[in-house]
Structure formats: structure tokens, C-alpha cells
Amino acid sequence: MTDAVEKPDPYVIFCAEYDLSPRESEVFRLWVTGHGLKYIQNALFVSESMVKSHLRSIYRKCGDIGTKVCKEA
């Protein structure tokens, strides 16, 4: 019997490295997995302007690297 070793979640690691807030982390995960603004706002029960605000904050903290890193993971 072998114990399965869990692979660390690349999203969690990335969000910790770039000091994303818990809400920014939620928005980030949905955004880089291909979900649009409408989907994110409905999934997280926030306004479209709040989603855009979180996305601006995410890009300010980590730039374009977030999308590239997590799509490759």
C-alpha cells in the first residue's frame, strides 16, 4: 500500500508569494481558469465593479505573470 503524496496547489502557492488577499485569490483562480466577469460576480456575489477592482489590484501586485504561471501548471 502506497501513500499518495499530494501535489501542492499552484494557485495557493502563487497567491501566497504575491500576497493576494483571500478575495483576490478567489477572483484570481476563477479568472485564470477562463471565467468571465459576469460569472465571477455571480459566483462571489459581488458587483462587476468590485471584480474589476480586484483584478486591477491583482495585476498591480503580480502583473501578467499570474495568468502565464497558472495556465502552465
Side-chain angles (χ1 to χ4, degrees), residues 5 11 30 36-37 39 42 44-45 50 54 56 60 68:
V5 177
Y11 298 103
L30 292 170
L37 292 175
Y39 180 89
N42 290 332
L44 301 180
F45 303 102
M50 184 56 65
H54 286 308
R56 279 191 300 274
R60 203 171 26 254
K68 292 175 188 171

Side-chain angles (χ1 to χ4, degrees), residues 10-21 23-29 31-32 53-71:
Y11 298 103
V12 172
I13 293 168
F14 183 87
C15 292
E17 283 180 15
Y18 285 92
D19 197 29
L20 299 184
S21 73
R23 189 55 123 185
E24 289 169 344
S25 298
E26 291 175 311
V27 171
F28 176 76
R29 182 184 288 269
W31 185 254
V32 299
S53 176
H54 286 308
L55 289 171
R56 279 191 300 274
S57 179
I58 292 165
Y59 277 99
R60 203 171 26 254
K61 289 180 179 182
C62 57
D64 208 25
I65 190 77
T67 306
K68 292 175 188 171
V69 168
C70 283
K71 284 192 176 179

